[in-house]
């Protein structure tokens, strides 16, 4: 538990004083991925999930976050064969841009040792032309036919393609052309950011807003309510200030900044309550990312457990 | 007010950033006019007449007509259009006559410069600057003359005769880029933002730096090296330059001149100038008793020397003339035509002493008065040292620009050209019988002038013996590290002062520099304060005709000096009126005169750069029309209303295009004020109600500043909130802004430079300034808005090191490209053999190039193919050279296809590896038929040790690259790109950086870019409020969670975007280590330097440490075994070194033993031997 004062957040208990809660007590609640007042496109909503994780340690929450960013596997462009590039954009930069394009391919569908090939073949005729991610076309490759002769039929079920069709990759003038072949493999975000399945995977620690009703009433209460940009407070009929919706608090500390507000409000962070927000880049559904992250975490725990057992056995 | 609404209001009225119609409109620049229909005519009139609140909007208008480097371009244009014609028309140059044939003559009637062109195989065609850069040509235009000359008996006239070529300054009146639109410039492969003002000579871009000098033809009262008070003048006219000084020694006054070998008592000089009466001199000079003592002593000295009359004085001076021809005169030889001593002295006095004061028909009156004026000044200063002039005062300085330097060069070359012609003429005409009539047209060699220009500009050596000028480093290669460095280069001023002298005077910031020179932009180190930069609006004047001014001044009631006696001149209340340092006359009402002249200037009746300065201390009115003065535009304040004359209506009309900037000048709303005249002004900052007028109140103000930011230079414009930073930090940023990797111009990918650093994804800064808009920095940015967390992290951030987010880096943060040029030529040798390109070994015409090895990617034509990867020492151009390049070979020209006759001399890639070929150019230059340029490209991510800097002089190297998951994150999930240690702040006091962060953050959350313009309103409070509105902390500090532990960090972290520059110093270019490698031939010690794969030196101090520690084994190992160990054979008997079998000295091999010693030691012994010093080696067992 932290008390967020105007000068700094202060830890209220010693680091280890907090009792470790068993995993059995962990509670997960799913909440709407966006605040009511946010205007978000329908499509974008599909990419985001928000849930609350309670009764657990920061270590668990952080492990989940870290795994989502760095250890959930995805498919991304790993190598590119540049056959022709007469555009203004240099090979290396184009390659980098292509590699950053998220691909709608589930890494679980990729068989061991298999690589996916995408081709981009474009020649500009007539007017200046843009090259978009949709021009990257899945192209089963001959080099794979020995190991995976059925590649074409197999992947036709899944329709491998870039998630977003309108990512600008290059611009061409008449006569310029680009021809490249991208080799996509399964990888993890820890090796390169392009394999990270999330745009953001983060949590914030549950805010708690305590109001000293003895002080915060009347005009002062009005002033504090006005000061809060997030409408956390309301005024009761008695004229006292009340924190109606602490979840909305962004810890901007406006309610404690001014001298006249001193002693009215206290802000806390409840260290066993985490509000997660996961936004997928689109290659995997956000919930799936969470699920796989938990599986990775579980596998790690199991591996540790096994390791500890073996240590016990030897000693 | 919230910044958004503030911003919107600003945007509507403004059309900032459009410098000239030739520039691309930036995104924010689309002018949207405020609907004025809402106002009644009366309200509108009131608004129109109100003082202009947004005076700064004059800046873009001003720069639209001026451009950023007008000083250079104007100076060059003045040279080409005026000065050049004057030089050719001058009496000494315009005619060539022969001593042998009196009928012969060649007369120049006119001279003019064409447009740039190049000769290629007898075809002349127009060139573009870009073609010159690529093909190593000179961007030069022909100089044409109209001549009248004799051939035989006839007189002929020829027009448009080319006498040579002169390099053309880009964007000058002769340049092909002049007045071109953006689309046209693009077609010419030219950057539309490039300011021009430089030359392209032999393919490289050269800038002629502005040179700072003491002004000519002005009296300067100073203490000379012997601590004597001295009034000196450097006279400079077209014909000659000389220095005259009057000084006081032992209460006596002397004249010193560089063509008179001894110092002459002043009374003798004055007597020689027709002032024979002591009384008259006394009257003329003095009056006051303080001065009389010097005069009495000086008069006495003349009398003691027995000099009383003019003839005696002349005779006396005649004895001391240097290089005297009169001395050679002898009575015996009547044919001797040498002049009399007295006549010679008279000539020297008339022409050399104070040469800028004209003397007609030996009427010395003016000159004598001038001299007496100097004497008086000198005497007064001797009595009162506060009257000494300040040598560092900028009113006493003149800037020499490209035009003036080129004019000197041209005069010299033109004279050489004429001498050469005359020599040719004499050679032919002296012959008794000529076969044909002498045709001088056949002897016009263009090379003298053409090569002279090219040589001088490309080497920077201006050595003109004729003008006693010997200067090196006048030109520099234009720095193209970033767009800012190129612009900064064009405003640079160098001083003639020696860099080694440790005096602070000339280096210190001078108060008179205010508004003219940038107080921040100067390098650190040896040239600190000597190299300066022009402020934003400074203009440097060109020479102007002073004749009309002279007449005007006399008509305005100034009493002509010719009609006055000495007493009047120095009487109380009489002000001496001087024009360009020459005494014109007297006035009793200096202020009235000045006011009248200024009124005339504002009305456009006088040149806009003419300056009038009333010096009350010295009781003079100084009028100046000469070139090289610094001046700047100011808004004139209306005396009646005490408001600036520029009103809202003018701004509106400018905006609507109904008025041009020059009309403001013509109508006298704005005027140029030079350094001297600044002393007569009171400049207020603002005339708007409620805004501070600055030091002067509007009641007393005479002028109004256009904008305070104009006291700074262009390069400081990069710093947001510079007025909140500690001053040296702005200076540091000025140096670093020039090293930032970014965009160097819109044509950067068309260019082939030796080394080019480009950034892959540069950003516009979130916080920008008006200055940046003026230079279109948004279109040629250098840097990125990095999210910065100011916190301590990991300990790898001490000493200004920064932590970088690995994922940011992988996503392209600060990624840059390094383009390097490799060039070679295929030469033709004296024996007609030629270099050739050869296919790589075992290559066939149809097979693709090799995929690996030394010849990887080299095509059948012997040139590497575009896009192929090159490795260290890989061949780029497989050139072969004939083995025999000197003898004429039997096989004859065009031969040499046999393999034995060629040896390989390929062009190889030398970089550290993993580069690709970006482009290949095969062309021809002026001298070589084939030049091949290969550009390699390397893309670089961030590496540990790469250098970064914010825009506040805060540099740091990358200390650690951290995975994203380990980075701290905010409640919104934002992860920083850069973590910076907070210890960087307290001692540096870069408050501007804190403000930049807050404003950037507010800009980012609200989607509106903020201004951090110098001395402008402070937007921080509004920005903080915007932050709160968007749910961030007022102070910009976030509550963050540690990415490693997952817990809240127990401090609020200052968190937000800051514009960071990646500097050109990268580890990849500097990293060096070696285990073994090449050794120097002479000493056999390891070579030195990274480029030669050298060793790392264990120097004296390191050696001292090892000695102190007693590590003798290590010493031997480092200094001998790992370096230049040598097994020598020594003869024990004689102590000489011997060959392995026999001592040549003892003629036996019996006493030989071997010894290990450093080769350098052996070398020393042998060298001593060769000098007959015999070091003997005496060996013994230990």
């Amino acid at each position: 538990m932290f008390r967020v004062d105007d000068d700094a957040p202060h830890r209220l208990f010693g680091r280890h004083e907090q009792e470790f809660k068993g995993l059995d007590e962990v509670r997960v609640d799913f909440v709407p991925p966006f605040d009511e007042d946010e205007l978000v496109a329908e499509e974008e909503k599909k990419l985001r999930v928000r849930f609350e994780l309670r009764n657990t340690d920061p270590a668990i929450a952080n492990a989940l976050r870290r795994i989502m960013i760095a250890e959930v596997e995805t498919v991304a462009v790993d190598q590119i064969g540049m056959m022709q590039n007469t555009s203004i954009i240099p090979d290396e930069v184009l390659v980098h841009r292509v590699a950053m394009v998220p691909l709608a391919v589930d890494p679980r569908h990729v068989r061991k040792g298999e690589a996916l090939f995408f081709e981009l073949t474009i020649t500009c005729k007539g007017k200046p032309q843009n090259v978009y991610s949709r021009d990257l076309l899945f192209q089963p490759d001959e080099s794979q036919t020995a190991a995976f002769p059925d590649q074409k039929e197999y992947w036709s079920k899944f329709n491998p393609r870039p998630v977003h069709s309108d990512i600008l990759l290059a611009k061409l003038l008449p006569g310029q052309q680009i021809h490249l072949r991208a080799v996509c493999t399964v990888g993890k975000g820890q090796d390169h950011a392009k394999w990270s399945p999330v745009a953001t995977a983060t949590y914030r620690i549950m805010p708690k807003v305590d109001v000293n009703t003895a002080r915060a009433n009347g005009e002062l209460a009005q002033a504090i309510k006005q000061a809060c940009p997030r409408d956390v407070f309301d005024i009761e009929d008695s004229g006292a200030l009340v924190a109606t919706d602490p979840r909305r608090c962004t810890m901007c500390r406006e309610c404690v900044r001014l001298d006249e507000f001193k002693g009215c409000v206290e802000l806390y962070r409840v260290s066993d309550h985490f509000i997660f927000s996961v936004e997928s880049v689109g290659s995997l559904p956000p919930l799936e990312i969470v699920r796989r992250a938990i599986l990775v975490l579980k596998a790690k725990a199991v591996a540790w457990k096994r390791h500890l057992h073996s240590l016990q056995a030897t000693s | 007010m919230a910044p958004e609404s503030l911003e919107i209001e600003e945007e509507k009225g403004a059309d900032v950033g459009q410098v000239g119609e030739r520039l691309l409109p930036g995104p924010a620049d689309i002018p949207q006019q405020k609907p004025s229909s809402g106002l009644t005519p009366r309200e509108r009139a009131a608004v129109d007449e109100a003082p202009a609140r947004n005076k700064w909007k004059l800046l873009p208008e001003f720069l639209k007509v001026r451009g950023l480097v007008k000083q250079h371009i104007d100076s060059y244009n003045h040279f080409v259009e005026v000065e050049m014609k004057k030089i050719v028309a001058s009496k000494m140059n315009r005619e060539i006559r022969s001593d042998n044939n009196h009928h012969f003559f060649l007369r120049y009637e006119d001279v003019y410069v064409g447009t740039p062109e190049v000769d290629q195989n007898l075809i002349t065609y127009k060139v573009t600057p870009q073609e010159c850069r690529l093909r190593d040509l000179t961007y030069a235009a022909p100089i044409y003359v109209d001549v009248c000359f004799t051939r035989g008996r006839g007189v002929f006239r020829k027009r448009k005769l080319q006498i040579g070529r002169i390099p053309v300054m880009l964007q000058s009146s002769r340049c092909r880029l002049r007045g071109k639109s953006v689309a046209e410039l693009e077609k010419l492969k030219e950057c539309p933002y490039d300011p021009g003002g430089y030359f392209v000579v032999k393919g490289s871009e050269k800038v002629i730096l502005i040179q700072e000098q003491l002004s000519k033809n002005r009296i300067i009262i100073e203490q000379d090296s012997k601590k004597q008070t001295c009034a000196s003048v450097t006279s400079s006219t077209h014909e000659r330059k000389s220095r005259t000084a009057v000084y006081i020694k032992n209460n006596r006054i002397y004249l010193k001149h560089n063509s008179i070998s001894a110092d002459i008592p002043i009374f003798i000089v004055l007597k020689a100038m027709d002032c024979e009466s002591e009384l008259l001199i006394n009257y003329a000079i003095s009056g006051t008793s303080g001065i009389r003592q010097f005069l009495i002593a000086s008069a006495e000295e003349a009398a003691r020397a027995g000099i009383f009359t003019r003839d005696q004085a002349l005779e006396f001076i005649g004895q001391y003339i240097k290089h005297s021809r009169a001395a050679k005169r002898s009575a015996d030889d009547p044919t001797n035509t040498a002049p009399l001593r007295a006549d010679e002295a008279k000539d020297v006095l008339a022409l050399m002493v104070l040469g800028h004061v004209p003397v007609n028909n030996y009427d010395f009156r003016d000159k004598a008065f001038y001299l007496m004026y100097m004497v008086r000044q000198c005497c007064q200063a001797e009595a009162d040292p506060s009257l000494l002039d300040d040598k560092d005062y900028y009113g006493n300085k003149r800037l020499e620009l490209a035009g003036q330097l080129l004019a000197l060069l041209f005069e010299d070359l033109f004279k050489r050209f004429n001498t050469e012609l005359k020599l040719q003429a004499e050679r032919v005409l002296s012959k008794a019988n000529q076969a044909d009539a002498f045709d001088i047209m056949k002897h016009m060699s263009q090379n003298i002038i053409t090569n002279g220009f090219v040589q001088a500009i490309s080497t920077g050596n201006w050595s003109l013996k004729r003008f006693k000028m010997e200067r090196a480093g006048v030109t520099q290669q234009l720095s193209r590290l970033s767009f800012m460095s190129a612009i900064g280069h064009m405003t640079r001023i160098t001083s003639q002062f020696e860099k080694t002298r440790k005096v602070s005077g000339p280096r210190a910031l001078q108060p008179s520099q205010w508004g003219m020179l940038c107080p921040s932009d100067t390098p650190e180190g040896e040239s600190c304060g000597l190299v300066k930069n022009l402020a934003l609006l400074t203009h440097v004047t060109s020479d102007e005709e002073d004749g009309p001014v002279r007449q005007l001044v006399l008509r305005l009631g100034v009493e002509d000096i010719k009609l006055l006696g000495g007493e009047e001149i120095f009487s109380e209340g009489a002000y001496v009126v001087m024009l360009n340092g020459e005494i014109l006359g007297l006035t009793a009402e200096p202020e009235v005169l000045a006011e009248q002249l200024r009124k005339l200037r504002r009305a456009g009746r006088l040149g806009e750069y003419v300056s009038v300065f009333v010096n009350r201390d010295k009781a003079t009115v100084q009028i100046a029309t000469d070139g090289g003065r610094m001046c700047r535009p100011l808004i004139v304040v209306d005396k009646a209303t005490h408001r600036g004359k520029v009103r809202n209506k003018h701004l509106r009309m400018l905006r609507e295009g109904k008025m041009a900037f020059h009309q403001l000048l013509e109508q006298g709303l704005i005027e140029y004020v030079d350094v001297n005249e600044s002393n007569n002004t009171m400049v207020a900052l603002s005339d708007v109600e409620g805004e501070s007028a600055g030091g002067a109140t509007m009641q007393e103000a005479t002028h109004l500043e256009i904008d305070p930011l104009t006291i700074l230079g262009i390069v400081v414009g990069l710093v947001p909130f510079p007025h909140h930073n500690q001053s040296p930090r702005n200076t540091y940023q000025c140096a670093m802004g020039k090293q930032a990797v970014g965009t160097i111009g819109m044509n950067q990918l068309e260019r082939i430079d030796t080394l080019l650093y480009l950034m892959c994804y540069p950003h516009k800064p979130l916080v920008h300034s008006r200055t940046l808009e003026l230079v279109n920095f948004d279109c040629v940015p250098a840097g990125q808005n990095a999210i910065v967390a100011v916190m301590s992290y990991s300990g790898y951030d001490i000493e200004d090191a920064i932590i970088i987010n690995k994922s940011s880096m992988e996503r392209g943060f600060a990624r840059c490209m390094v383009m390097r040029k490799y060039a070679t030529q295929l030469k033709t040798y004296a024996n007609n053999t030629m270099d050739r390109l050869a296919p790589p070994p075992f290559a066939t015409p149809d097979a693709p190039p090799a995929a690996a090895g030394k010849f990887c990617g080299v095509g059948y034509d012997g040139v590497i193919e575009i896009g192929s990867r090159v490795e260290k020492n890989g061949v780029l151009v497989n050139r072969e050279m004939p083995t025999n390049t000197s003898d004429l070979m039997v096989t004859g020209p065009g031969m040499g296809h046999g393999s034995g006759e060629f040896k390989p001399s390929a062009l190889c890639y030398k970089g550290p590896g993993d580069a690709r070929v970006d482009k290949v150019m095969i062309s021809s230059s002026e001298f070589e038929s084939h030049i091949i340029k290969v550009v390699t490209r390397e893309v670089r991510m961030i590496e540990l040790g790469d250098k970064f800097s914010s825009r506040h002089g805060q540099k740091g190297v990358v200390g650690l690259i951290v995975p994203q998951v380990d980075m701290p994150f905010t409640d919104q999930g934002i992860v920083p790109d850069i973590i910076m240690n907070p210890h960087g702040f307290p001692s540096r006091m870069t408050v501007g950086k804190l403000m930049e962060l807050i404003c950037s953050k507010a800009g980012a959350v609200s989607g509106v870019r903020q201004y951090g313009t110098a001395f402008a309103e402070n937007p921080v409070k509004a920005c903080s409020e915007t932050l709160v509105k968007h749910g961030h902390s007022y102070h910009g500090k976030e509550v963050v969670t540690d990415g490693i532990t997952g817990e809240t960090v127990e401090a609020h972290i200052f968190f937000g975007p800051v514009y960071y520059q990646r500097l050109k110093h990268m580890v990849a270019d500097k990293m060096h280590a070696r285990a073994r490698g090449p050794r120097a031939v002479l000493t056999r010690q390891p070579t030195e330097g990274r480029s030669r794969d050298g060793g790392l030196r264990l120097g004296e101090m390191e050696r001292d440490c090892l000695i102190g520690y007693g590590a003798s084994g290590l010493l031997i190992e480092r200094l001998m075994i790992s370096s230049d160990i040598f097994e020598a054979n020594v003869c024990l008997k004689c102590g000489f070194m011997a060959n392995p079998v026999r001592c040549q000295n003892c003629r036996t091999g019996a006493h030989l033993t071997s010894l290990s010693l450093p080769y350098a030691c052996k070398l020393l012994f042998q060298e001593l031997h060769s000098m007959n010093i015999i070091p003997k080696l005496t060996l013994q067992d230990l």
Side-chain angles (χ1 to χ4, degrees), chain B residues 301-323:
Chain B
E301 185 165 30
R304 208 174 292 142
I307 310 290
F308 300 100
T309 66
R310 188 188 77 165
D311 294 345
Q312 285 172 327
L314 285 174
E315 191 66 30
F316 179 83
I317 294 170
Q319 298 168 42
Y320 298 106
I321 306 291
K322 278 186 196 167
H323 316 295

Side-chain angles (χ1 to χ4, degrees), chain B residues 29-235:
Chain B
D29 303 343
I30 296 125
Q32 295 173 12
Q33 267 162 36
K34 203 181 244 175
S36 50
S37 53
L39 296 173
T40 65
R42 230 170 117 190
E43 280 171 343
R44 171 133 187 190
V47 169
D48 274 355
E49 284 308 319
R53 185 177 282 276
N54 293 317
K55 285 183 281 135
W56 61 268
K57 284 178 186 163
L58 289 171
L59 290 180
E61 295 296 332
F62 178 65
L63 290 169
K64 191 192 279 181
V65 287
R66 183 179 179 271
L68 290 163
V69 293
K70 194 185 180 205
Q71 62 277 5
H72 284 284
I73 294 169
D74 262 13
S75 162
Y76 183 85
N77 288 349
H78 185 261
F79 160 58
V80 167
E81 282 152 19
V82 181
E83 204 64 26
M84 199 175 212
K85 289 188 197 291
K86 273 194 195 164
I87 290 169
V88 172
S90 79
K91 225 195 288 177
M92 336 253 289
N93 299 334
R94 80 174 155 226
E95 216 168 45
I96 300 173
R97 280 188 175 273
S98 163
D99 297 339
N100 294 305
N101 183 337
H102 295 291
H103 295 297
F104 172 80
F105 72 89
L106 169 86
R107 190 165 59 235
Y108 296 101
E109 298 189 319
D110 198 5
V111 61
Y112 38 93
V113 176
T115 50
E117 55 183 45
V118 71
D119 288 327
Q120 194 79 56
N121 303 328
L122 299 175
I123 300 165
T124 305
Y125 67 97
K126 290 184 171 145
V127 272
T128 62
Q130 181 65 7
E131 184 177 346
C132 293
R133 288 186 197 113
L134 294 180
R135 289 185 48 203
D136 295 349
L137 304 175
T138 301
Y139 187 61
I143 306 172
Y144 297 117
V145 285
D146 292 346
V147 286
C148 184
F149 61 98
T150 57
R151 185 167 58 213
R153 300 251 144 197
V155 176
F156 296 87
R157 183 164 267 150
K158 193 171 166 82
R159 298 205 182 278
K160 228 180 166 192
L161 173 72
Q162 189 174 339
I163 55 168
R165 302 199 316 141
I166 176 171
V168 170
M169 179 181 278
L170 271 78
Q171 294 287 0
S172 72
S173 61
R174 303 292 131 171
C175 178
R176 292 195 61 197
L177 308 180
R178 184 86 196 146
K180 288 275 194 290
S181 70
V182 173
E184 287 168 315
L185 286 171
E186 275 168 4
K187 231 172 240 165
L188 297 172
K189 304 272 183 219
E190 206 57 42
C191 173
Y193 306 116
D194 191 87
Y198 55 91
F199 300 89
V200 179
V201 174
K202 289 202 255 175
S204 69
E205 297 168 317
K206 293 282 182 181
V207 188
I208 299 185
L209 292 181
I210 308 175
Q211 314 271 322
E212 176 190 304
Q213 287 177 335
L214 266 186
S215 50
K216 303 276 156 56
N217 301 345
R218 298 295 144 94
I219 302 168
I220 292 187
I221 320 286
E222 55 181 340
Q223 291 221 302
D224 63 12
S225 50
K226 291 174 201 149
K227 297 278 171 205
Q228 295 158 345
T229 309
C230 147
S232 64
V233 180
T234 314
S235 309

Side-chain angles (χ1 to χ4, degrees), chain B residues 280 283-287 369 564-572 574 586:
Chain B
L280 184 123
Y283 269 138
I285 292 181
S286 83
F369 269 122
L564 296 169
E567 221 170 344
E568 289 99 331
I569 296 181
F570 300 113
S571 61
E572 187 71 32
L586 289 187

